[in-house]
PDB file of all heavy atoms in Angstrom:
ATOM      1  N   GLY A  56      -6.733   3.759  23.679  1.00 94.00           N
ATOM      2  CA  GLY A  56      -6.105   4.941  24.263  1.00 94.00           C
ATOM      3  C   GLY A  56      -7.150   6.009  24.490  1.00 94.00           C
ATOM      4  O   GLY A  56      -8.256   5.921  23.963  1.00 94.00           O
ATOM      5  N   PRO A  57      -6.808   7.031  25.273  1.00 92.00           N
ATOM      6  CA  PRO A  57      -7.793   8.066  25.604  1.00 92.00           C
ATOM      7  C   PRO A  57      -8.193   8.916  24.394  1.00 92.00           C
ATOM      8  O   PRO A  57      -7.530   8.886  23.354  1.00 92.00           O
ATOM      9  CB  PRO A  57      -7.076   8.915  26.659  1.00 92.00           C
ATOM     10  CG  PRO A  57      -5.635   8.618  26.492  1.00 92.00           C
ATOM     11  CD  PRO A  57      -5.507   7.262  25.895  1.00 92.00           C
ATOM     12  N   ASN A  58      -9.255   9.688  24.579  1.00 91.00           N
ATOM     13  CA  ASN A  58      -9.695  10.615  23.525  1.00 91.00           C
ATOM     14  C   ASN A  58      -8.562  11.548  23.151  1.00 91.00           C
ATOM     15  O   ASN A  58      -7.842  12.036  24.022  1.00 91.00           O
ATOM     16  CB  ASN A  58     -10.864  11.470  24.019  1.00 91.00           C
ATOM     17  CG  ASN A  58     -12.140  10.663  24.097  1.00 91.00           C
ATOM     18  OD1 ASN A  58     -12.307   9.685  23.358  1.00 91.00           O
ATOM     19  ND2 ASN A  58     -13.019  11.043  24.984  1.00 91.00           N
ATOM     20  N   GLY A  59      -8.422  11.780  21.864  1.00 93.00           N
ATOM     21  CA  GLY A  59      -7.420  12.743  21.410  1.00 93.00           C
ATOM     22  C   GLY A  59      -6.001  12.204  21.363  1.00 93.00           C
ATOM     23  O   GLY A  59      -5.068  12.931  21.035  1.00 93.00           O
ATOM     24  N   ALA A  60      -5.817  10.903  21.652  1.00 95.00           N
ATOM     25  CA  ALA A  60      -4.464  10.333  21.664  1.00 95.00           C
ATOM     26  C   ALA A  60      -3.875  10.252  20.262  1.00 95.00           C
ATOM     27  O   ALA A  60      -2.652  10.219  20.096  1.00 95.00           O
ATOM     28  CB  ALA A  60      -4.480   8.945  22.299  1.00 95.00           C
ATOM     29  N   GLY A  61      -4.756  10.189  19.248  1.00 96.00           N
ATOM     30  CA  GLY A  61      -4.257  10.114  17.875  1.00 96.00           C
ATOM     31  C   GLY A  61      -4.612   8.830  17.161  1.00 96.00           C
ATOM     32  O   GLY A  61      -4.059   8.526  16.096  1.00 96.00           O
ATOM     33  N   LYS A  62      -5.546   8.069  17.706  1.00 96.00           N
ATOM     34  CA  LYS A  62      -5.894   6.762  17.116  1.00 96.00           C
ATOM     35  C   LYS A  62      -6.476   6.932  15.711  1.00 96.00           C
ATOM     36  O   LYS A  62      -6.072   6.249  14.773  1.00 96.00           O
ATOM     37  CB  LYS A  62      -6.898   6.022  18.026  1.00 96.00           C
ATOM     38  CG  LYS A  62      -6.388   5.854  19.451  1.00 96.00           C
ATOM     39  CD  LYS A  62      -7.380   5.122  20.343  1.00 96.00           C
ATOM     40  CE  LYS A  62      -8.704   5.844  20.552  1.00 96.00           C
ATOM     41  NZ  LYS A  62      -8.601   7.137  21.265  1.00 96.00           N
ATOM     42  N   GLU A 177     -13.662   2.954  16.038  1.00 91.00           N
ATOM     43  CA  GLU A 177     -14.771   3.112  17.007  1.00 91.00           C
ATOM     44  C   GLU A 177     -15.979   2.268  16.632  1.00 91.00           C
ATOM     45  O   GLU A 177     -17.073   2.785  16.432  1.00 91.00           O
ATOM     46  CB  GLU A 177     -15.192   4.589  17.120  1.00 91.00           C
ATOM     47  CG  GLU A 177     -14.105   5.525  17.572  1.00 91.00           C
ATOM     48  CD  GLU A 177     -13.712   5.333  19.035  1.00 91.00           C
ATOM     49  OE1 GLU A 177     -14.280   4.447  19.709  1.00 91.00           O
ATOM     50  OE2 GLU A 177     -12.826   6.064  19.487  1.00 91.00           O
ATOM     51  N   GLN A 209     -13.076   2.177  21.996  1.00 89.00           N
ATOM     52  CA  GLN A 209     -13.140   2.786  23.341  1.00 89.00           C
ATOM     53  C   GLN A 209     -13.430   1.740  24.413  1.00 89.00           C
ATOM     54  O   GLN A 209     -13.041   1.910  25.571  1.00 89.00           O
ATOM     55  CB  GLN A 209     -14.280   3.820  23.391  1.00 89.00           C
ATOM     56  CG  GLN A 209     -14.048   5.086  22.606  1.00 89.00           C
ATOM     57  CD  GLN A 209     -13.074   6.010  23.294  1.00 89.00           C
ATOM     58  OE1 GLN A 209     -12.737   5.830  24.453  1.00 89.00           O
ATOM     59  NE2 GLN A 209     -12.582   6.998  22.557  1.00 89.00           N
ATOM     60  N   THR A 226      -1.170  10.310  24.066  1.00 96.00           N
ATOM     61  CA  THR A 226      -0.624  11.569  23.522  1.00 96.00           C
ATOM     62  C   THR A 226       0.345  11.331  22.356  1.00 96.00           C
ATOM     63  O   THR A 226       1.466  11.835  22.338  1.00 96.00           O
ATOM     64  CB  THR A 226       0.036  12.443  24.614  1.00 96.00           C
ATOM     65  OG1 THR A 226       1.011  11.674  25.300  1.00 96.00           O
ATOM     66  CG2 THR A 226      -0.981  12.983  25.576  1.00 96.00           C
ATOM     67  N   TYR A 248      -7.790   2.143  32.173  1.00 87.00           N
ATOM     68  CA  TYR A 248      -8.760   1.887  31.100  1.00 87.00           C
ATOM     69  C   TYR A 248      -9.880   0.929  31.472  1.00 87.00           C
ATOM     70  O   TYR A 248     -10.884   0.866  30.781  1.00 87.00           O
ATOM     71  CB  TYR A 248      -8.037   1.351  29.860  1.00 87.00           C
ATOM     72  CG  TYR A 248      -7.029   2.326  29.325  1.00 87.00           C
ATOM     73  CD1 TYR A 248      -5.675   2.144  29.546  1.00 87.00           C
ATOM     74  CD2 TYR A 248      -7.449   3.463  28.640  1.00 87.00           C
ATOM     75  CE1 TYR A 248      -4.747   3.055  29.077  1.00 87.00           C
ATOM     76  CE2 TYR A 248      -6.538   4.378  28.170  1.00 87.00           C
ATOM     77  CZ  TYR A 248      -5.189   4.170  28.389  1.00 87.00           C
ATOM     78  OH  TYR A 248      -4.280   5.092  27.925  1.00 87.00           O
TER      79      TYR A 248
END
Side-chain angles (χ1 to χ4, degrees):
N58 287 333
K62 304 180 297 296
E177 300 290 1
Q209 289 285 347
T226 54
Y248 299 103

